[in-house]
Amino acid sequence: MVKAVGMAKADKGVKRKRTKEEKEVAARMKRGIGIKVKSITDKKLKGKLRHAERVVREAQEKAAKVSAWLLPSEAGTLEAEGIERTYNFKQEDIISHVEVGAARKAFDLSLPELGPYSLDFTRNGRYMLLGGTRGHLALMDWSQSRLVTEVQVRETTRDVCFLHNELFFAAAQKKYAYIYDSRGIEVHCLKDHTEPNVLQFLPHHFLLCSVGDAGVLRYQDTSHGAIVAQHKTRLGPCSVMRQNPYNASLVLGHTSGAVTVWTPNMTTPAIKMLCHRGPLSAVAVDVSGHHLVTAGVDSQVKVWDLRMVRPLHAYFAHSAATSLDISARGMLAVGYGRKVQIWKDALRTKASAPYMSHTLLNGALEDVQFCPFEDVMGLGHSSGLTTILVPGAGEPNFDSFVANPFQSLSERREQEVHQLLDKLQPDTIVLDPDSIGCLRQEPKEVQKERQMAQVDANRARRKTQQDVNDARTPMKGKNRPSKKHRKKQLNVIEEKRPEVVERMAEEKRRKFDAEARAKEARQAAAAEAPRALARFYK
């Protein structure tokens, strides 16, 4: 027993070496540069700083351990054995092998009379919004299969989207865009948004954006209701628009096959490129903002690099894709007809086969969207709504300060206040958000012109002050200390100093040239002198 205790103490004293992965995680948790205490001579201050550094280092190691415990390294995906392929797996097989709670998330709503349906999820993935073309709007807590509100607007509805949370949502109806609350009551009629086809909401800027048949892109601030910007695309009617979550820019697809990227502070597109030979039917941007996926009526799905503005690779579909979406883990969903395909690792590299495939029993596909923080994808079609399980699509790790799927009432209220306080101005929407807060270096020509202008201004100021001093009548008290101090301040930079410096430099240059000529003359004389007298010329 004594031996066992001694061995336990010996093992406890041994310090385990950290692996390379643990060191990398600890380095990411580091906040700032540490203090070097070796050069400090004060023993008391040195001890305090050493203790503070030890506390920070221990907190860093604990945070790294907690992140290793709570954040899984990889999300679970489907794996096939032998000659099987994952795209042959049916939803019935997947549902039968998952737990009961996950199996409940796959359901089918039959609404054949009011479709086709477009849908949208909140940022935390808890609520779902449905919008039927024939005026049916429904808000539901889909994870609990609970209907929150339902309203029939009796008007054509082209698109729906949530605002900053589930309390308000917007609908693009036949003539104007409308805002409703969670009870289904009409709150606002946005008459500036005429005949909108598609809506997008920028959560960090509180901007509701729309574009329609007139080809006018509008930004409206939902916090105070003012129109921030209106841009004429001059490319005809537009019904394809998606926001870039990385920099909050808007990507529009036009009937000419061109794709334009817009910001509210520019009247012309920041990026314009020809992507397809025919009209575009759908676009999607990944979370990192590096890859753009476009689909056109030419039955092609192309992947573009937005940083280099060049194509990476292309996929050919059996028919024109009508809807696209990219999950938080980088999975690409392509919907056409009654079929939807999910591609894994299809952005950076070209995939040879889809990851999953699903065919609707009835109805034509209208809209596809991945649910945030869930391995679920919603399919809006002409016969209602269908949700399917897509293992590995959702991000398993969430930040409760950004989007909390388990948000309570008090947390929702507090988050709403913080969102308004942290609201960004529309001018901060740029292609490279990392450039905000950086210093832009001026060209050398501009710096030189500014320096010359400052020298001229100082010379003119000194000349004016000298004229005033010469015209002033001498008075008593001119030798008082304050007068002498002002004279010293005026004579800090003398007017003749540049001339003196230039004269001294010229004199130094002349002296150097004279010495060089004298040395050459001595060397020439030594070369011509007899050998016996050469030593006198050194």
Side-chain angles (χ1 to χ4, degrees):
M1 183 68 182
V2 176
K3 185 178 181 181
V5 172
M7 290 177 62
K9 289 184 178 180
D11 293 340
K12 187 176 181 181
V14 176
K15 188 175 180 180
R16 186 179 66 87
K17 292 184 178 180
R18 295 186 297 175
T19 61
K20 184 178 179 180
E21 290 76 10
E22 292 176 350
K23 291 180 181 179
E24 291 178 355
V25 174
R28 288 198 299 268
M29 298 294 175
K30 190 176 181 180
R31 296 293 184 267
I33 303 174
I35 302 174
K36 297 180 180 180
V37 298
K38 290 184 178 180
S39 59
I40 299 175
T41 57
D42 191 348
K43 293 184 178 180
K44 187 175 181 180
L45 177 61
K46 190 174 183 178
K48 288 183 177 180
L49 293 177
R50 188 175 291 167
H51 174 70
E53 287 296 319
R54 184 170 60 252
V55 170
V56 171
R57 186 169 58 254
E58 291 176 356
Q60 176 184 342
E61 293 176 356
K62 289 180 180 178
K65 290 180 180 179
V66 169
S67 65
W69 293 337
L70 297 181
L71 305 182
S73 57
E74 295 182 358
T77 56
L78 292 177
E79 294 183 0
E81 296 181 355
I83 61 173
E84 293 182 346
R85 297 292 181 266
T86 55
Y87 56 80
N88 292 326
F89 293 165
K90 304 296 183 182
Q91 281 295 311
E92 293 80 6
D93 302 332
I94 298 175
I95 292 173
S96 62
H97 286 82
V98 298
E99 60 179 359
V100 178
R104 292 177 180 173
K105 297 177 182 179
F107 57 87
D108 191 2
L109 292 179
S110 179
L111 302 168
E113 298 178 356
L114 302 175
Y117 279 85
S118 57
L119 68 151
D120 190 25
F121 290 95
T122 54
R123 294 183 67 195
N124 57 11
R126 185 171 177 178
Y127 292 88
M128 179 195 294
L129 178 64
L130 299 178
T133 306
R134 300 181 183 179
H136 179 224
L137 303 179
L139 173 63
M140 59 183 299
D141 186 353
W142 72 275
S143 59
Q144 299 181 2
S145 301
R146 181 175 63 89
L147 181 65
V148 178
T149 186
E150 188 178 15
V151 62
Q152 174 59 253
V153 298
R154 300 180 182 276
E155 194 176 15
T156 301
T157 304
R158 300 185 181 93
D159 194 16
V160 291
C161 76
F162 279 106
L163 299 189
H164 57 280
N165 55 22
E166 67 275 8
L167 295 181
F168 297 96
F169 61 90
Q173 296 179 200
K174 183 178 181 180
K175 194 173 182 181
Y176 303 117
Y178 293 83
I179 295 180
Y180 300 88
D181 63 359
S182 58
R183 297 172 295 176
I185 300 175
E186 180 184 326
V187 179
H188 295 290
C189 174
L190 308 179
K191 293 187 177 181
D192 293 322
H193 301 259
T194 56
E195 298 180 354
N197 287 333
V198 60
L199 299 174
Q200 286 287 310
F201 182 76
L202 307 180
H204 299 292
H205 305 79
F206 276 72
L207 293 178
L208 180 64
C209 311
S210 71
V211 67
D213 293 336
V216 180
L217 176 62
R218 295 181 174 87
Y219 294 82
Q220 183 164 7
D221 196 319
T222 58
S223 60
H224 53 74
I227 294 290
V228 174
Q230 292 188 14
H231 300 324
K232 294 181 179 180
T233 61
R234 294 181 175 86
L235 292 173
C238 180
S239 59
V240 178
M241 179 173 66
R242 187 68 66 91
Q243 66 170 300
N244 188 341
Y246 174 66
N247 54 17
S249 61
L250 292 179
V251 181
L252 275 65
H254 303 278
T255 56
S256 61
V259 169
T260 55
V261 180
W262 295 83
T263 59
N265 44 30
M266 293 179 62
T267 57
T268 57
I271 298 175
K272 183 178 180 181
M273 53 185 179
L274 183 63
C275 297
H276 293 268
R277 297 181 179 179
L280 270 82
S281 55
V283 295
V285 186
D286 68 338
V287 179
S288 64
H290 297 162
H291 297 95
L292 167 69
V293 184
T294 61
V297 296
D298 55 357
S299 301
Q300 287 191 14
V301 178
K302 295 184 179 181
V303 181
W304 301 76
D305 189 346
L306 282 177
R307 295 168 293 181
M308 303 295 293
V309 195
R310 62 181 180 87
L312 296 178
H313 40 263
Y315 300 91
F316 291 88
H318 298 288
S319 62
T322 57
S323 54
L324 298 172
D325 196 25
I326 301 176
S327 71
R329 304 286 294 187
M331 290 190 181
L332 173 63
V334 181
Y336 54 92
R338 294 171 50 192
K339 194 172 184 178
V340 59
Q341 290 182 346
I342 298 96
W343 295 74
K344 181 183 176 184
D345 300 331
L347 301 180
R348 293 180 177 85
T349 59
K350 187 171 182 178
S352 58
Y355 170 64
M356 285 184 61
S357 180
H358 180 72
T359 304
L360 298 174
L361 296 178
N362 47 24
L365 201 61
E366 175 70 16
D367 191 12
V368 297
Q369 276 204 21
F370 286 100
C371 179
F373 308 109
E374 292 284 353
D375 292 342
V376 176
M377 184 173 65
L379 309 177
H381 47 86
S382 58
S383 297
L385 171 73
T386 302
T387 59
I388 61 174
L389 300 182
V390 184
E395 176 62 45
N397 314 311
F398 63 90
D399 188 353
S400 59
F401 291 100
V402 177
N404 187 5
F406 310 101
Q407 193 176 58
S408 62
L409 179 61
S410 59
E411 290 175 344
R412 187 192 69 195
R413 292 173 177 173
E414 184 176 359
Q415 186 186 26
E416 190 171 5
V417 173
H418 280 286
Q419 285 179 340
L420 286 171
L421 293 176
D422 299 337
K423 173 192 166 187
L424 300 177
Q425 295 298 321
D427 296 338
T428 60
I429 301 178
V430 292
L431 291 181
D432 185 12
D434 296 333
S435 62
I436 298 176
C438 298
L439 294 177
R440 184 171 54 189
Q441 188 175 5
E442 293 181 341
K444 292 184 179 180
E445 294 79 5
V446 178
Q447 294 179 5
K448 190 173 181 180
E449 290 178 1
R450 181 171 295 180
Q451 291 176 0
M452 295 299 296
Q454 290 178 356
V455 171
D456 295 341
N458 290 334
R459 186 179 291 112
R461 181 178 57 82
R462 290 196 304 270
K463 179 66 176 173
T464 304
Q465 187 65 33
Q466 187 176 359
D467 295 342
V468 172
N469 293 338
D470 294 342
R472 186 179 298 168
T473 305
M475 298 177 66
K476 293 182 179 180
K478 63 180 179 179
N479 292 327
R480 61 181 182 270
S482 60
K483 186 76 172 179
K484 292 181 179 180
H485 179 69
R486 282 199 297 271
K487 286 183 178 180
K488 288 181 180 180
Q489 292 297 110
L490 290 175
N491 295 329
V492 171
I493 302 175
E494 298 179 358
E495 182 179 0
K496 296 183 178 181
R497 179 180 172 134
E499 300 177 1
V500 173
V501 172
E502 187 177 356
R503 190 163 54 250
M504 290 175 64
E506 184 66 27
E507 191 173 334
K508 186 176 180 181
R509 196 182 309 111
R510 196 183 308 114
K511 184 178 179 181
F512 180 78
D513 294 341
E515 290 178 356
R517 286 194 299 270
K519 186 175 180 180
E520 291 178 359
R522 286 197 302 269
Q523 291 177 356
E528 295 176 359
R531 219 177 200 181
L533 302 177
R535 66 178 183 272
F536 296 105
Y537 291 93
K538 291 183 179 179

